Amino acid sequence: MLSARWQKVRRDLWSSRGRMILLIVAVAASLFALGTTLGAYSVLSRELTRAYRATNPASATLETDSVDAPLIDEVRAQPGVAAAEARATVLARVRVGDDWRPLLLFVVPDFSAMRLSSFTRLEGEWPPPTGTMLVDHMALALTGARLGERVMVKTPHGRPTSVKLAGTVWDSGLAPAQMERTVWAYITPATLALIDGRGTLDEVKIVEARAPMNAAAIEGTARRVAELLRGQGHVVSQIQIPPPARHPHQGQMEAIMLMLNGFSLAALLLSGVLVGSMVSAMMVRQVREIGVMKTIGAREGQIAGLYMAMMLVLGIAALSIAVPSSRFVARALASTTAADLNIGIASTFIPWWVLAVQCAAGLLVPFGAAAIPVLRASRMTVREAIHDSGADQESFGTRRVDAWLGGLQGLDMLVRLGIRNAFRRRARLLMTLGLLSSGGAMFLTGMNTAKAWSVRLGEVNTGRKYDLEIRFQRPEPIEKAVGVVRAVPGVGTAEAWGLADASWGADPGVEVIHTYPDKGHNAFRVVGTPPDTRLVNFPLLAGRWLEPGDDGVVVLNHMAAAAAPRAAVGRSVTISVDGAAHTWRVVGLVRDIGSPATAYVSAATFQGVTRTPGATRLLRVATLANDAAGRAAIIRRTEQAVEGAGLGIEFFLPVEELVTAVGEHMAILLGVIMMLAGLMSVVGVLGLGAAMSTSVLERMRELGVMQAVGATRSMVLRVILGEGLFVGATSGLIAIALAVPLSTGVGALVGGLAFRAPLPLVMSLPAALTWLAVALLSSAVATAVPALSASRMTVREALAYV
């Protein structure tokens, strides 16, 4: 008897193969999204950490006057030092067309014996011969040249020198060059002597032996090494200690990881909703068959077991589609994301637990989602099953629905009937709405996040009223520097600002900062602000901006405030500059997108701290040009004038280049969010299509009755399309509403992790209209195809439809 029942179910499945295929494809889509996001997460979370640690980044770097081999041997012998090497880092520039681009030269004495802050050879000569340099593979495009060609390189006080591009390397310890708009290059001391006139190594890099993950232990060891160097007559100007084992873009990586985890969970929930909706719809059609099976002796457990076995087949079929495709896409996503972050992936192996979670979701979620409708149907009495009409008697024709529909003046009667039909199965309606609106909310969140970031990016320009920032290698006379720049035709304003590296708290002896080897990430600086400056207008988060006559007070930007959680308006903070501690009262907090952690003080306060009256390391320049081409020409003339005056340029940064750099930082994260949001929206649309198609097909007999009492084909179509468009429009409006809190949360998460500044809530009207159109079109297509088929049936065919 059991075999006979199973044969009947198989026949029913075959007769419903169109709907089953829709169900399998829709479930496979959600499992594909789950496998893709979880797989990419598993690879990235493992490889990002492994790749960065594989470079063996230095725990600390001590800047001194000179280093030789005997001195390094003594450092290696110090307690707590696991390894030590001599290096040098030089800020320079490389000529690209008519302009000069920032160039950071890492000087390595012996490429074959390199153990700390290492990198991987890709192609070209190794080690680079004298007069040549290796470049990071992502930086090659920024040079405007190809391997084997020569470029002009200039240090702050050196002469332009022609240097050959000898090869490329992959340095996973550095941020992507495209994001930083800086060329990373590697040379020998002999090449440095050729470019700069000196080949001295002036850095000691060490690795902490006892507690390499403990910043306090690293600082203690670094200070002992500094005492050793000073005891031998060397000057130690600074100790750099980056966050242990954290990549410069760790915040962006963590944001991507959280996004992948969040979307993985969403995909799992969507798959459950989808299966529940589809199985519920399918069981409505099977109720009469269940009644027939019970009349010939089938027990409740046998019936439930047959349908749960069918869910097993469905899950296996969906997994057979989703597993191989999702693993392929997950590897591609992980590889692309890692490459964009300048991380080399050693293996794209996806661990077993991802497959286990995906299989569990593919098998258990259908079981769980189907359990309620299957048990409810199998527990019906024979009389209830045989007389089931497919309508929810509790909800069909309720007074609230009828009253609401009655108030819709001018609405076509057949469209009203279609809307009323949507409420016949409230559980199914809620699941269908939830499925599509969830996908839509994720799509809108992605679009809203992108627009919110555009608003934040715009603050780089609106907060800065200048077009160019010039940083000198050493303090230069203010009168000379400002006079040279103001004499350039087209320059409107030139202001001298103070600039000094800083660290939090009392820092006795040698200054300890927490920046990376690129001298930019995680930097903290104190900036002296000219009185009555009009070149900045950063949005105030609290308090006020500096005023003329201020002394002993400070304004912190949002990055600095995030690094000092107790910092607040009215409280005092202690900041060390040049090894001396200073306590200032916080009077304001500003959002300063594009700058590292910065403490703004008055020019008088800054000069008192640094004891550099009449000198400056930073000029900010505003031009009179109103277009990009005009600004570029003035900036180019300014650069030539400053160089001609013998002022050593360490960094030359047009604000437009800063905007590009900040935008590049967010591009990867936004790309991942948009890709995942698109994936989830596809799952929602597929689920809608499957649910609506099944809903129409299961009512074929009802449609036959309508035609029997005189309904024309167009009338049938209007009823069904009315129901579909109502579901689509309602889901679109729900998606817009859900996108508000979701966009707020994602904006806070992404902005906070990546840039310490939550993104504003910005609702994209084009995105909302686009999704409404997608929802309406999807609903129309999902109902129109089976509706057309139904309307073409004869009354006899429709009444006999199984």
Side-chain angles (χ1 to χ4, degrees):
M1 184 180 296
L2 184 60
S3 175
R5 297 190 196 106
W6 176 242
Q7 291 296 327
K8 183 182 186 312
V9 172
R10 287 177 59 188
R11 287 195 300 272
D12 288 343
L13 288 176
W14 177 250
S15 66
S16 307
R17 57 187 178 276
R19 276 164 284 177
M20 291 304 299
I21 290 173
L22 281 173
L23 180 56
I24 290 171
V25 170
V27 174
S30 63
L31 292 175
F32 169 81
L34 176 65
T36 297
T37 53
L38 271 185
Y41 165 78
S42 67
V43 173
L44 286 172
S45 59
R46 178 189 70 235
E47 293 297 317
L48 294 179
T49 301
R50 182 211 56 77
Y52 180 61
R53 293 186 180 181
T55 66
N56 198 18
S59 302
T61 300
L62 291 82
E63 291 193 349
T64 183
D65 46 10
S66 63
V67 184
D68 54 22
L71 183 59
I72 290 296
D73 289 338
E74 290 191 52
V75 171
R76 290 186 181 125
Q78 294 299 302
V81 176
E85 288 185 10
R87 296 285 182 87
T89 305
V90 179
L91 278 167
R93 290 178 297 152
V94 59
R95 192 172 186 85
V96 181
D98 295 329
D99 301 311
W100 291 87
R101 182 177 295 282
L103 167 69
L104 196 61
L105 294 170
F106 297 98
V107 185
V108 182
D110 189 346
F111 280 75
S112 61
M114 180 176 51
R115 296 292 180 270
L116 304 184
S117 301
S118 61
F119 40 87
T120 304
R121 174 189 180 184
L122 293 181
E123 59 180 324
E125 300 178 80
W126 182 276
T130 301
T132 70
M133 65 183 186
L134 304 175
V135 295
D136 182 81
H137 71 113
M138 294 190 74
L140 183 61
L142 295 177
T143 66
R146 293 175 294 182
L147 287 185
E149 295 182 347
R150 306 187 76 86
V151 294
M152 297 300 295
V153 173
K154 188 180 184 302
T155 58
H157 292 282
R159 294 181 177 180
T161 305
S162 176
V163 178
K164 178 184 175 182
L165 301 180
T168 57
V169 301
W170 192 326
D171 191 343
S172 292
L174 295 175
Q178 290 282 0
M179 291 187 186
E180 305 307 317
R181 313 303 294 171
T182 300
V183 177
W184 315 129
Y186 309 83
I187 60 175
T188 62
T191 301
L192 176 61
L194 184 68
I195 297 172
D196 195 53
R198 63 182 181 88
T200 307
L201 300 175
D202 57 9
E203 293 178 345
V204 177
K205 290 185 177 292
I206 64 171
V207 171
E208 165 66 25
R210 291 171 291 196
M213 303 297 293
N214 188 307
I218 294 171
E219 182 174 340
T221 300
R223 287 191 180 278
R224 287 193 294 273
V225 172
E227 288 302 315
L228 169 68
L229 299 179
R230 294 168 73 177
Q232 296 194 12
H234 293 280
V235 175
V236 180
S237 58
Q238 194 176 82
I239 299 174
Q240 301 166 6
I241 304 177
R246 285 182 64 85
H247 188 274
H249 280 177
Q250 192 74 28
Q252 286 174 282
M253 296 177 186
E254 290 173 351
I256 290 174
M257 295 298 100
L258 282 173
M259 288 297 101
L260 289 173
N261 275 334
F263 278 95
S264 296
L265 177 61
L268 184 61
L269 293 177
L270 280 178
S271 67
V273 173
L274 178 58
V275 173
S277 174
M278 296 299 297
V279 172
S280 177
M282 183 183 67
M283 291 308 300
V284 170
R285 183 174 170 273
Q286 294 290 325
V287 166
R288 288 190 177 95
E289 283 75 4
I290 291 173
V292 172
M293 292 169 66
K294 282 194 169 186
T295 61
I296 59 176
R299 294 191 299 273
E300 178 181 316
Q302 291 175 324
I303 295 173
L306 289 174
Y307 283 99
M308 297 312 286
M310 183 179 66
M311 290 299 100
L312 178 64
V313 173
L314 182 150
I316 292 174
L319 283 170
S320 66
I321 298 172
V323 169
S325 58
S326 65
R327 292 175 79 83
F328 175 80
V329 175
R331 291 189 181 100
L333 174 61
S335 298
T336 301
T337 302
D340 288 340
L341 289 171
N342 202 33
I343 293 293
I345 288 187
S347 169
T348 57
F349 172 75
I350 298 176
W352 65 268
W353 63 264
V354 174
L355 179 60
V357 171
Q358 198 175 11
C359 288
L363 299 177
L364 298 181
V365 170
F367 268 62
I372 294 177
V374 167
L375 289 176
R376 183 173 59 238
S378 63
R379 288 174 179 173
M380 281 185 173
T381 64
V382 173
R383 180 179 180 279
E384 290 173 334
I386 296 297
H387 290 85
D388 184 79
S389 63
D392 189 337
Q393 299 299 328
E394 181 185 355
S395 58
F396 177 74
T398 57
R399 294 180 180 179
R400 290 183 180 180
V401 175
D402 285 343
W404 174 64
L405 289 172
L408 299 177
Q409 299 297 327
L411 190 64
D412 184 85
M413 182 183 67
L414 294 175
V415 175
R416 292 188 192 184
L417 179 60
I419 296 175
R420 174 185 284 184
N421 283 339
F423 288 92
R424 293 174 62 178
R425 292 281 181 176
R426 286 184 299 181
R428 186 195 312 166
L429 174 64
L430 291 175
M431 284 190 288
T432 304
L433 290 176
L435 188 67
L436 187 59
S437 59
S438 297
M442 293 175 191
F443 170 80
L444 292 175
T445 296
M447 300 296 290
N448 293 340
T449 302
K451 188 166 184 178
W453 174 244
S454 297
V455 172
R456 279 285 181 264
L457 186 61
E459 291 182 6
V460 178
N461 270 324
T462 58
R464 292 166 173 79
K465 306 302 181 182
Y466 56 92
D467 302 304
L468 172 66
E469 185 172 290
I470 306 172
R471 193 183 309 165
F472 301 116
Q473 185 189 40
R474 57 190 180 216
E476 301 285 358
I478 292 177
E479 186 175 347
K480 177 181 178 180
V482 172
V484 167
V485 173
R486 285 181 177 170
V488 176
V491 169
T493 305
E495 291 182 353
W497 290 60
L499 178 65
D501 292 330
S503 59
W504 291 105
D507 196 4
V510 183
E511 181 182 40
V512 176
I513 64 174
H514 297 280
T515 189
Y516 284 85
D518 61 16
K519 300 185 181 297
H521 284 88
N522 218 51
F524 179 38
R525 62 188 189 177
V526 170
V527 171
T529 308
D532 298 321
T533 181
R534 296 184 179 180
L535 294 187
V536 296
N537 184 29
F538 301 125
L540 275 172
L541 301 178
R544 63 174 176 84
W545 182 246
L546 296 169
E547 297 176 352
D550 272 342
D551 193 17
V553 300
V554 63
V555 171
L556 302 177
N557 74 352
H558 70 282
M559 294 288 285
R566 294 182 59 82
V569 173
R571 290 185 175 180
S572 294
V573 293
T574 299
I575 298 173
S576 291
V577 181
D578 294 333
H582 307 275
T583 299
W584 296 316
R585 181 171 56 88
V586 178
V587 296
L589 303 174
V590 296
R591 188 170 56 245
D592 176 11
I593 303 296
S595 295
T598 304
Y600 293 95
V601 298
S602 67
T605 298
F606 182 85
Q607 290 178 4
V609 168
T610 58
R611 299 179 181 87
T612 56
T616 184
R617 283 193 60 213
L618 179 64
L619 286 186
R620 285 175 169 166
V621 183
T623 70
L624 300 176
N626 295 318
D627 60 278
R631 281 192 296 272
I634 296 169
I635 289 171
R636 196 172 294 123
R637 291 197 297 268
T638 302
E639 188 171 18
Q640 294 168 353
V642 172
E643 284 189 334
L647 302 172
I649 299 176
E650 183 179 75
F651 208 68
F652 199 87
L653 182 64
V655 171
E656 289 183 0
E657 188 77 354
L658 176 63
V659 173
T660 301
V662 176
E664 287 286 342
H665 276 73
M666 195 64 179
I668 298 175
L669 191 53
L670 285 178
V672 171
I673 291 174
M674 292 303 298
M675 189 279 294
L676 295 174
L679 189 60
M680 293 298 103
S681 62
V682 168
V683 171
V685 169
L686 284 175
L688 170 75
M692 295 302 298
S693 298
T694 302
S695 177
V696 173
L697 291 173
E698 74 186 18
R699 297 198 337 254
M700 285 296 192
R701 290 172 178 166
E702 174 188 325
L703 300 178
V705 172
M706 290 178 61
Q707 293 185 64
V709 296
T712 64
R713 290 182 179 179
S714 63
M715 294 172 68
V716 171
L717 282 173
R718 281 159 59 190
V719 171
I720 297 175
L721 285 176
E723 178 183 353
L725 291 176
F726 168 74
V727 172
T730 304
S731 68
L733 295 175
I734 295 173
I736 294 172
L738 288 176
V740 174
L742 195 57
S743 298
T744 301
V746 170
L749 174 67
V750 170
L753 277 175
F755 303 102
R756 306 287 185 178
L759 301 182
L761 174 61
V762 179
M763 299 298 292
S764 172
L765 180 60
L769 295 176
T770 298
W771 182 253
L772 276 175
V774 168
L776 290 172
L777 182 61
S778 301
S779 302
V781 171
T783 51
V785 173
L788 284 171
S789 176
S791 66
R792 290 169 182 164
M793 282 186 173
T794 64
V795 174
R796 179 179 177 279
E797 289 172 333
L799 292 175
Y801 184 81
V802 237

